[in-house]
C-alpha cells in the first residue's frame, strides 16, 4: 500500500498537447490522486480556473488558487489531505466490516484510540508525489519561489516516518518537447536541491502531456528509445533461420 | 469556516451528552473551525465552544488537552460531542472561556517592554519543556494561540492542534513560525522545532510592525534585529536559537534567565543613553531660543503684530 499523488501547478490554461482533464481521469483510474494548484494572479481568467477545477475533479483530488508565496504551504496541506482521505477510506472500510458502522457511530470519548491509529497509519504509509510544474513563459518571475516551495515540500515529507519520494516533471520541455523530467522519484533532498535549478521558464503550456508523463513515472513505465529496442532485442533473423 | 456559522442566540444541543448551549458570541474563525462563547443552559456557566467539521483533528486536540491538563498554562477542556447542523454532522468541544485578548491583539494595543518579552519567552519555553518531558513537541506556537487572561493575570495556551509526538511529522503549523517555511530544517517534531518558533516569536515582538518580513530569510531577520536597540546578548541568543545547532532549549532558557536577572539595561549600552542626551540637548536649545524670541516679541514694536498672529 502506498499513496500515489500528482500535484499539477499551473498559472494558466493549457494550450497545446491534449486535454489535461482526460489525462487526470486516466491517472485516477490507475489509483493516482491528482490535485491542482493555480497560481493565477487575476481571478478573471475563468477558463484557466475551470480547467484546474476540472483536473482536480477528474483526478479525485482537490484544487486551490493561491499566491505563489503560499505554494509550499498549499502543497503540504494538499498532500496531508490526500493522506487523510486515503486513511479515512481504509479505516472506514475496516470499521464497516467489523461493526457495520462508521466513526460517527462511536461515542466521542471512545474515538481517541481509533484516531491515534489513523494518525500512525498516515505517518507510516509510503508516499510517491510527482509535481507537474508549469514552466511556461508567464512563470518567469515566479520560478524562484516555486523552486523554494518544492524544497519546502521535501523538508515537510522527509519529516515523516514513512518513505516519501518526490519527482518533478516540468512542462514544456526544451527544444519543442512537451515535457522534461527534471528529477525522477527520489528521497534525497540534496539531489532535489541540485535539480530544481533546471526549472526554467519559457514556452507553451502542454499540461496534458506532462500529466501523462507523470503517470508513466508513477507506474514505472520507461520511455523506450530506439537504442534500447536495439539493445534489448536479439537479432531479428538468426543465422540458423536462413 | 464557510457557511457553518451559528448565529447569536442559537442553541447547540449535544448528540451524546444531550447538554445544550446558547451561543453568546463568535470569538474566532479558522480554516476548519470556529470558536464561540456559549452559556450552558442549566448551570448558566459561560464557556468556550470550538466547532469543527474535521472529526480527526478535533478528537486529536481534545486528547492532547486532556493529556496536558496538568500544565497550568493549558486551557481546561470539559467535553467532546457531536451536533447536527442542517443534516451535516459537526464536532465540538467545550473548554473554559478565557476573558481577554490573544497576544497578537494585545501587542497591537499595548507596548510590551523588552523585559516583558524576555519574561514571556521564559514562560512559553517552560511550557514547551512540559510537553517535551512527555515526549511531545508543541508545534504550532504563535501569538494568536496565547491568551492574556486579564482576570487572573495569566498567560494561557488555547490551541493544542499542533502537538505532535517526537519523531513524527508536524502537520499543523503557521508558516511565519515554521522552520521548514524558512528553509531552516525539516517539518519534524524535535525539541529544536519549538526552539525555532520561540525565537521567531521573540523576534516578532521585538521588531513589532516590521514583522512579518517579505521574504523568509534568517539572515535578513538577524540583520533587522541588529538594527533594533536591544542588548547584543539577546540578539546573540536568538541567533543561536534560530540556527538550532549549538544550543538546547534548556540552555537557551538558562541564558535567557541569566540576561533577565543580571542585566540592568536591555538596550545597546551607550547608544540609547547617547540618544537621550542628544535629544535633551537639542530640546534645551530650542526652549532657550523660544524664550528669547518671546521676550523680543513682547518688547519690540513688531511684537503686537506677532502676538496677533500667535
Amino acid at each position: 500500500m502506498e499513496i500515489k499523488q500528482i500535484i499539477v501547478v499551473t498559472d494558466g490554461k493549457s494550450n497545446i498537447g491534449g486535454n489535461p482533464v482526460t489525462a487526470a481521469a486516466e491517472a485516477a483510474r490507475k489509483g493516482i490522486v491528482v490535485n491542482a494548484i493555480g497560481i493565477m494572479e487575476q481571478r478573471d481568467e475563468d477558463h484557466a480556473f475551470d480547467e484546474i477545477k476540472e483536473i482536480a475533479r477528474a483526478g479525485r483530488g482537490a484544487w486551490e488558487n493561491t499566491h505563489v508565496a503560499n505554494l509550499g504551504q498549499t502543497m503540504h496541506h494538499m498532500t496531508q489531505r490526500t493522506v487523510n482521505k486515503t486513511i479515512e477510506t481504509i479505516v472506514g472500510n475496516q470499521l464497516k466490516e467489523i461493526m457495520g458502522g462508521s466513526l460517527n457511530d462511536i461515542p466521542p470519548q471512545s474515538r481517541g484510540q481509533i484516531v491515534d491509529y489513523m494518525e500512525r497509519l498516515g505517518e507510516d504509509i509510503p508516499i510517491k508525489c510527482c509535481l507537474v510544474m508549469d514552466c511556461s513563459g508567464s512563470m518567469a518571475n515566479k520560478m524562484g519561489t516555486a523552486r523554494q516551495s518544492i524544497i519546502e515540500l521535501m523538508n515537510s515529507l522527509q519529516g515523516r516516518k514513512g518513505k516519501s519520494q518526490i519527482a518533478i516533471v516540468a512542462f514544456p520541455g526544451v527544444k519543442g518537447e512537451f515535457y522534461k523530467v527534471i528529477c525522477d522519484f527520489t528521497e534525497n533532498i540534496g539531489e532535489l536541491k541540485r535539480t530544481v535549478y533546471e526549472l526554467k521558464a519559457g514556452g507553451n503550456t502542454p499540461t496534458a502531456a506532462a500529466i501523462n508523463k507523470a503517470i508513466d513515472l508513477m507506474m514505472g513505465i520507461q520511455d523506450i528509445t530506439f537504442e534500447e529496442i536495439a539493445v534489448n532485442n536479439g537479432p531479428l533473423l538468426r543465422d540458423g533461420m536462413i | 469556516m464557510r457557511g457553518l456559522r451559528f448565529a447569536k442566540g442559537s442553541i447547540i444541543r449535544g448528540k451524546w451528552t444531550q447538554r445544550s448551549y446558547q451561543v453568546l458570541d463568535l470569538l474566532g474563525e479558522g480554516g476548519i473551525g470556529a470558536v464561540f462563547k456559549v452559556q450552558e443552559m442549566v448551570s448558566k456557566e459561560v464557556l468556550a465552544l470550538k466547532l469543527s467539521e474535521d472529526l480527526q483533528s478535533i478528537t486529536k486536540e481534545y486528547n492532547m488537552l486532556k493529556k496536558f491538563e496538568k500544565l497550568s498554562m493549558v486551557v481546561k477542556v470539559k467535553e467532546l460531542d457531536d451536533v447536527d447542523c442542517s443534516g451535516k454532522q459537526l464536532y465540538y468541544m467545550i473548554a473554559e472561556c478565557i476573558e481577554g485578548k490573544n497576544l497578537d491583539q494585545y501587542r497591537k494595543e499595548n507596548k510590551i517592554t523588552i523585559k516583558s518579552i524576555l519574561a514571556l519567552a521564559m514562560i512559553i519555553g517552560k511550557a514547551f519543556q512540559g510537553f517535551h518531558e512527555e515526549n511531545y513537541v508543541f508545534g504550532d506556537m504563535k501569538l494568536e494561540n496565547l491568551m492574556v487572561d486579564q482576570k487572573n493575570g495569566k498567560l494561557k495556551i488555547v490551541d493544542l492542534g499542533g502537538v505532535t509526538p517526537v519523531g513524527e511529522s508536524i502537520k499543523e503549523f503557521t508558516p511565519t513560525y515554521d522552520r521548514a517555511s524558512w528553509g531552516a530544517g525539516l517539518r519534524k517534531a524535535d525539541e529544536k522545532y519549538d526552539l525555532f518558533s520561540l525565537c521567531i516569536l521573540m523576534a516578532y515582538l521585538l521588531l513589532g510592525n516590521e514583522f512579518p518580513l517579505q521574504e523568509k530569510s534568517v539572515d535578513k531577520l538577524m540583520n533587522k534585529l541588529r538594527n533594533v536597540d536591544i542588548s547584543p546578548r539577546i540578539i546573540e541568543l536568538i541567533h543561536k536559537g534560530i540556527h538550532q545547532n549549538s544550543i538546547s532549549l534548556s540552555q537557551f532558557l538558562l541564558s535567557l534567565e541569566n540576561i533577565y536577572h543580571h542585566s540592568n539595561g536591555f538596550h545597546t549600552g551607550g547608544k540609547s543613553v547617547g540618544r537621550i542626551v542628544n535629544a535633551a540637548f537639542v530640546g534645551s536649545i530650542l526652549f532657550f531660543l523660544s524664550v528669547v524670541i518671546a521676550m523680543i516679541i513682547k518688547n519690540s514694536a513688531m511684537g503686537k503684530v506677532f502676538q496677533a498672529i500667535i
Side-chain angles (χ1 to χ4, degrees):
Chain A
M1 181 69 208
E2 71 177 358
I3 288 177
K4 297 191 186 78
Q5 172 186 242
I6 290 174
I7 300 180
V8 180
V9 180
T10 180
D11 80 335
K13 192 175 173 350
S14 73
N15 50 22
I16 190 168
N19 183 353
V21 181
T22 318
E26 178 58 25
R29 259 193 299 283
K30 295 199 153 95
I32 305 168
V33 176
V34 185
N35 294 307
I37 303 176
I39 37 177
M40 293 167 256
E41 267 138 42
Q42 311 100 302
R43 289 203 70 130
D44 52 26
E45 287 185 72
D46 273 345
H47 294 295
F49 239 75
D50 290 346
E51 190 176 82
I52 62 163
K53 277 188 213 169
E54 286 296 299
I55 291 174
R57 191 191 50 77
R60 292 188 200 138
W63 71 276
E64 199 167 312
N65 189 54
T66 182
H67 191 274
V68 68
N70 305 324
L71 181 58
Q73 191 192 3
T74 309
M75 291 198 291
H76 167 99
H77 285 313
M78 281 195 163
T79 309
Q80 197 59 52
R81 179 186 175 277
T82 307
V83 172
N84 288 348
K85 289 272 167 204
T86 311
I87 301 298
E88 262 172 53
T89 313
I90 297 173
V91 174
N93 288 339
Q94 287 174 345
L95 283 177
K96 202 163 185 187
E97 229 169 80
I98 298 166
M99 46 165 269
S102 74
L103 256 183
N104 282 337
D105 302 317
I106 300 172
Q109 306 286 345
S110 316
R111 288 173 193 157
Q113 273 187 315
I114 300 171
V115 168
D116 269 355
Y117 169 67
M118 290 166 81
E119 280 285 306
R120 252 177 294 134
L121 273 182
E123 187 66 31
D124 290 337
I125 194 165
I127 297 181
K128 269 177 126 175
C129 174
C130 185
L131 302 176
V132 175
M133 208 51 224
D134 185 343
C135 292
S136 60
S138 53
M139 281 292 293
N141 57 359
K142 299 175 195 156
M143 226 53 241
T145 317
R147 285 190 199 109
Q148 247 187 328
S149 312
I150 294 173
I151 293 165
E152 185 190 323
L153 179 67
M154 189 58 146
N155 279 329
S156 180
L157 291 181
Q158 291 309 323
R160 305 173 64 251
K161 282 187 175 160
K163 181 171 175 167
S164 307
Q165 294 169 281
I166 290 183
I168 310 168
V169 176
F171 62 97
V174 282
K175 293 178 194 153
E177 300 267 346
F178 280 161
Y179 58 80
K180 183 182 181 194
V181 178
I182 298 289
C183 183
D184 202 343
F185 282 107
T186 182
E187 35 178 349
N188 183 335
I189 297 183
E191 187 182 346
L192 200 75
K193 277 187 181 165
R194 272 196 307 280
T195 49
V196 286
Y197 287 95
E198 288 174 36
L199 286 169
K200 293 191 176 76
N204 287 322
T205 314
T207 318
I211 295 179
N212 283 325
K213 181 60 199 173
I215 298 174
D216 286 353
L217 282 182
M218 200 72 90
M219 308 313 284
I221 300 167
Q222 303 287 326
D223 271 342
I224 300 171
T225 59
F226 181 74
E227 284 79 355
E228 276 175 304
I229 297 174
V231 171
N232 292 338
N233 287 291
L236 208 55
L237 301 167
R238 288 200 199 104
D239 292 346
M241 288 177 176
I242 303 169
Chain B
M1 195 166 68
R2 284 159 285 217
L4 297 170
R5 209 181 273 187
F6 284 99
K8 266 185 209 181
S10 52
I11 309 282
I12 295 175
R13 190 179 170 86
K15 185 175 147 187
W16 301 83
T17 58
Q18 294 292 318
R19 253 193 285 279
S20 302
Y21 299 91
Q22 182 164 38
V23 175
L24 302 179
D25 223 337
L26 175 72
L27 294 176
E29 266 181 297
I32 49 165
V35 182
F36 301 93
K37 184 174 172 177
V38 296
Q39 186 172 39
E40 212 273 329
M41 299 292 274
V42 181
S43 69
K44 300 290 175 203
E45 195 179 358
V46 174
L47 297 152
L49 181 148
K50 186 170 187 173
L51 186 73
S52 171
E53 42 187 353
D54 185 339
L55 179 148
Q56 223 178 315
S57 105
I58 200 154
T59 310
K60 216 179 84 183
E61 189 182 354
Y62 175 83
N63 286 351
M64 288 305 135
L65 283 164
K66 273 281 167 215
K67 190 177 175 70
F68 290 103
E69 65 186 348
K70 58 182 185 294
L71 297 182
S72 65
M73 262 183 86
V74 171
V75 73
K76 300 284 168 285
V77 68
K78 289 194 185 311
E79 63 188 50
L80 180 67
D81 207 342
D82 307 340
V83 60
D84 262 331
C85 175
S86 44
K88 198 175 154 95
Q89 174 124 325
L90 298 178
Y91 315 95
Y92 70 80
M93 62 182 170
I94 299 285
E96 63 175 320
C97 188
I98 310 289
E99 300 281 351
K101 295 187 172 83
N102 75 42
L103 210 48
D104 191 46
Q105 294 164 325
Y106 187 85
R107 168 190 78 90
K108 285 174 186 153
E109 293 160 18
N110 303 273
K111 170 106 184 82
I112 305 183
T113 62
I114 295 181
K115 192 165 179 160
S116 324
I117 295 174
L118 296 184
L120 277 172
M122 277 154 59
I123 297 171
I124 299 165
K126 290 258 160 63
F128 281 167
Q129 286 180 318
F131 288 94
H132 298 169
E133 275 162 24
E134 298 283 332
N135 240 358
Y136 281 82
V137 160
F138 186 77
D140 196 11
M141 177 47 66
K142 55 177 163 184
L143 291 173
E144 292 85 343
N145 281 349
L146 295 165
M147 289 283 286
V148 183
D149 181 350
Q150 276 157 340
K151 214 162 59 189
N152 303 310
K154 270 188 174 167
L155 195 66
K156 287 271 187 180
I157 302 178
V158 291
D159 189 334
L160 294 200
V163 176
T164 309
V166 169
E168 292 190 6
S169 59
I170 302 275
K171 281 142 203 125
E172 276 184 40
F173 62 91
T174 307
T176 304
Y177 303 86
D178 160 55
R179 68 176 179 199
S181 300
W182 288 78
L186 296 182
R187 207 163 271 154
K188 188 184 186 78
D190 54 47
E191 67 158 52
K192 300 283 176 72
Y193 188 91
D194 282 343
L195 174 59
F196 182 89
S197 68
L198 181 60
C199 289
I200 296 286
L201 190 125
M202 287 177 74
Y204 205 150
L205 291 172
L206 289 169
L207 288 173
N209 291 332
E210 284 189 65
F211 211 82
L213 308 182
Q214 282 265 312
E215 185 194 338
K216 289 194 184 63
S217 148
V218 168
D219 292 340
K220 285 189 182 152
L221 176 67
M222 289 316 301
N223 282 339
K224 281 232 176 227
L225 277 175
R226 288 195 184 95
N227 287 332
V228 185
D229 178 24
I230 340 164
S231 147
R233 291 180 66 195
I234 303 176
I235 311 255
E236 238 355 271
L237 191 59
I238 293 182
H239 178 90
K240 275 190 185 166
I242 277 188
H243 285 88
Q244 306 159 64
N245 46 15
S246 63
I247 196 167
S248 68
L249 178 66
S250 48
Q251 287 167 328
F252 182 88
L253 293 178
L254 263 174
S255 308
L256 207 57
E257 225 168 294
N258 218 350
I259 297 174
Y260 185 85
H261 290 301
H262 299 291
S263 178
N264 311 320
F266 301 103
H267 299 276
T268 26
K271 212 158 102 191
S272 66
V273 176
R275 258 188 222 161
I276 293 169
V277 171
N278 277 345
F281 185 57
V282 172
S284 65
I285 290 177
L286 286 176
F287 180 66
F288 178 65
L289 282 178
S290 63
V291 170
V292 169
I293 290 171
M295 282 165 69
I296 294 172
I297 290 172
K298 268 203 166 167
N299 296 330
S300 70
M302 283 287 282
K304 295 211 166 64
V305 182
F306 271 110
Q307 263 179 333
I309 295 170
I310 294 167

